[in-house]
Amino acid sequence: MTQPAQTQRAAVILAAGKGTRMKSSLPKVLHEVAGKPMIDWSIDLARRAGCDPICVVCSPGQEELVAHIENRLGAGSVAFQHEQLGTGHAVQSAAEALSGAGGSLVVLYGDTPLIRPEAVQDLFAALDAGAAVGVLGFHAREPGAYGRLILDDAGALARIVEAKDASAEELAVTLCNSGVIAAPAEKMFSLLGQVTNENAKGEYYLTDIVGLARAAGHRNTAVVCAEDDVLGVNSRVQLAEANAAFQARRRRELMESGVTLVAPETVFLSHDTEIAPDCVIEPNVVFGPGVVLASHVHVRAFSHIEGAHVASGAVIGPYARLRPGAEVGAKARVGNFVEIKNARLEEGAKVNHLSYVGDGFVGAGANLGAGTIFCNYDGYNKHQTRVGAGAFVGSNSALVAPVTIGKGAYVGSGSVITEDVPEDALSLARGKQVLREGWAIRYRAKMTGESEE
Ligand code: UD1
Ligand code: CA
């Protein structure tokens, strides 16, 4: 144990549900929101809230999911719930795995990706302030099947009633249970030991620990967050809703931090997209994972950017594609129908039209003309192309890697370059032009049988 017992925080993530409504061969919680599997959102949430250990409850037979989780959290991080007897029973399934955890324990879910770490921190703070149980609630637009948080006259949380067990009066309550519940680990398990399945669903409800704690004379606290933060995913439609909620949230955050999104609803961000202030993002731009844009980058319309770093003042697009390993230097330009992959453009380099720059380096201020292709692949291996600073590659040139164009060198248009070009040299590698004066006149005369003169 690395932390003293009273500040230790642990998390259990429930993911034993079969997720049949996804109609998928992929386990539900491996479906992605903003480029990250939902289970990883929950694991990252637990980590950001300071939880260690983290235990995920799965059902037997979810091998692909178990492998994914152990890959992220290590062996022994998965507990199995053999029969799904309710959320309380699911948490109890983790008791053995968490037997060393003496501090606070929070229950999270593998299918609720957008909960903010601050909300979990608030629950832990409520426990630190003496609450027996802390519950994350939200005001539901349509309370429907959610459990209702019943407060007492002083605003303390008295109990949670499941919709199926609720009276008409209780069903009118709009403050609902997100499912996220925290308690000191020992108290959580001892209260769960008292939970029965005598209710409408015949399940062991985790939510019953609230009323049990209250009956034992303890105080409970409800923490309230936004409904969009606790969106649960059971179907592809809800998966799309979670993605949309993330996009709306992240676009707003970026704009508030000083990024211009000309048409925010058309810009798609990944979970880790970083865009510095004073960048301008035009309409219809898609960011895959792993993108960092420094300040004053201008991304023009219809660009697709993934796994790329772009330095200050660069201009990307319209219609540009940056693939993983693209490193674009300050004030460099990547124009229309240009693809950059695993290649570095130094400051002020220009690749403005219709080019492929894969596996290479383009020095400061170098200019690759329209249709320059780095021929990086021989069918077996990838090879490097290096273009020195200030070099000029004429349009429609193929640079056959491995090859180096020296600093300040020129490559004539239409060349196929297979050998290194020294600094400041000119290399032409194309058919020599032939010229026959008056040939066309003679040709036409022959073909038509008439003289043109
Ligand atoms: C639960 C809450 C309800 C809350 C709602 C929010 C209980 C009793 N009720 O209801 O108050 O408003 O969540 O969505 O907790 N799971 C297991 N094993 C089980 C049962 C469930 O792992 O035996 C997992 C499921 O994978 C699911 C989650 O726990 O992700 C919630 O279970 P579910 O049965 O959907 O609970 P709800 O009826 O939605
Ligand atoms: Ca549910």
Side-chain angles (χ1 to χ4, degrees):
M1 246 192 288
T2 51
Q3 305 165 49
Q6 68 270 29
T7 63
Q8 198 197 350
R9 292 167 171 188
V12 51
I13 300 173
L14 303 191
K18 295 281 190 292
T20 47
R21 280 198 276 157
M22 293 299 283
K23 309 228 165 90
S24 177
S25 60
L26 187 71
K28 174 169 88 170
V29 299
L30 291 181
H31 283 263
E32 292 182 352
V33 169
K36 176 156 92 171
M38 286 193 279
I39 188 68
D40 289 359
W41 281 94
S42 303
I43 290 170
D44 291 346
L45 168 66
R47 283 186 169 151
R48 283 177 195 160
C51 299
D52 180 19
I54 300 167
C55 176
V56 185
V57 176
C58 295
S59 21
Q62 295 180 310
E63 284 86 10
E64 187 181 2
L65 177 58
V66 171
H68 178 95
I69 293 162
E70 290 191 335
N71 191 33
R72 294 270 342 248
L73 291 173
S77 53
V78 173
F80 290 98
Q81 186 190 21
H82 293 273
E83 252 185 305
Q84 281 190 59
L85 303 179
T87 48
H89 178 260
V91 174
Q92 278 183 307
S93 310
E96 204 177 316
L98 292 172
S99 58
S104 302
L105 175 63
V106 66
V107 181
L108 304 172
Y109 299 83
D111 61 2
T112 312
L114 300 182
I115 292 170
R116 298 176 192 264
E118 295 76 14
V120 178
Q121 304 272 17
D122 287 349
L123 291 179
F124 286 136
L127 302 188
D128 293 344
V133 181
V135 176
L136 184 61
F138 64 100
H139 288 283
R141 288 178 285 263
E142 291 174 32
Y146 289 117
R148 307 297 203 273
L149 301 191
I150 309 299
L151 306 184
D152 66 16
D153 293 340
L157 177 61
R159 61 201 172 84
I160 303 178
V161 60
E162 289 303 293
K164 282 202 172 165
D165 302 289
S167 66
E169 195 188 339
E170 287 164 338
L171 285 174
V173 171
T174 60
L175 182 59
C176 291
N177 175 27
S178 70
V180 176
I181 297 186
E186 279 176 36
K187 189 169 273 143
M188 172 98 68
F189 290 116
S190 75
L191 290 169
L192 281 172
Q194 302 169 48
V195 169
T196 71
N197 63 354
E198 286 150 25
N199 52 51
K201 280 181 152 182
E203 287 184 359
Y204 295 89
Y205 293 161
L206 169 63
T207 47
D208 280 357
I209 68 170
V210 175
L212 288 167
R214 171 86 166 200
H218 299 298
R219 183 168 58 79
N220 307 308
T221 302
V223 167
V224 178
C225 71
E227 181 166 17
D228 279 352
D229 292 358
V230 295
L231 218 145
V233 174
N234 296 302
S235 65
R236 309 263 183 171
V237 171
Q238 290 173 333
L239 185 68
E241 286 168 359
N243 266 301
F246 170 80
Q247 295 299 335
R249 176 202 282 187
R250 189 69 189 125
R251 288 168 188 148
R252 174 167 288 276
E253 282 172 2
L254 287 170
M255 290 187 282
E256 283 170 353
S257 75
V259 175
T260 294
L261 302 181
V262 175
E265 64 287 356
T266 69
V267 173
F268 291 87
L269 305 156
S270 272
H271 63 99
D272 60 352
T273 305
E274 285 180 37
I275 306 179
D278 279 324
C279 285
V280 174
I281 314 298
E282 292 188 5
N284 296 297
V285 172
V286 175
F287 292 93
V291 175
V292 178
L293 306 187
S295 65
H296 298 276
V297 170
H298 189 153
V299 181
R300 303 195 59 196
F302 295 99
S303 295
H304 190 284
I305 304 181
E306 183 180 8
H309 292 181
V310 182
S312 193
V315 181
I316 309 297
Y319 295 97
R321 181 163 184 214
L322 302 184
R323 289 175 53 202
E327 299 273 343
V328 179
K331 299 194 171 103
R333 290 174 155 269
V334 177
N336 38 252
F337 308 108
V338 171
E339 176 178 343
I340 313 273
K341 184 220 74 174
N342 191 31
R344 178 176 176 76
L345 268 53
E346 294 276 83
E347 182 165 350
K350 289 183 185 163
V351 193
N352 270 332
H353 334 267
L354 301 158
S355 292
Y356 175 60
V357 176
D359 299 301
F361 170 89
V362 180
N367 189 325
L368 303 188
T372 298
I373 306 295
F374 283 20
C375 306
N376 59 327
Y377 187 47
D378 58 16
Y380 295 93
N381 295 302
K382 302 283 170 71
H383 302 282
Q384 291 281 318
T385 300
R386 297 184 66 81
V387 175
F392 185 98
V393 177
S395 296
N396 195 33
S397 291
L399 309 182
V400 182
V403 73
T404 297
I405 312 298
K407 275 192 256 174
Y410 272 68
V411 169
S413 295
S415 292
V416 177
I417 299 293
T418 55
E419 285 169 29
D420 290 355
V421 178
E423 278 183 24
D424 295 322
L426 166 68
S427 181
L428 293 170
R430 62 191 187 201
K432 200 164 166 59
Q433 186 169 340
V434 174
L435 216 139
R436 295 200 182 105
E437 289 286 355
W439 178 92
I441 295 169
R442 294 191 293 279
Y443 176 70
R444 282 191 293 268
K446 181 178 146 196
M447 297 309 281
T448 60
E450 296 165 19
S451 164
E452 286 197 6
E453 272 122 330

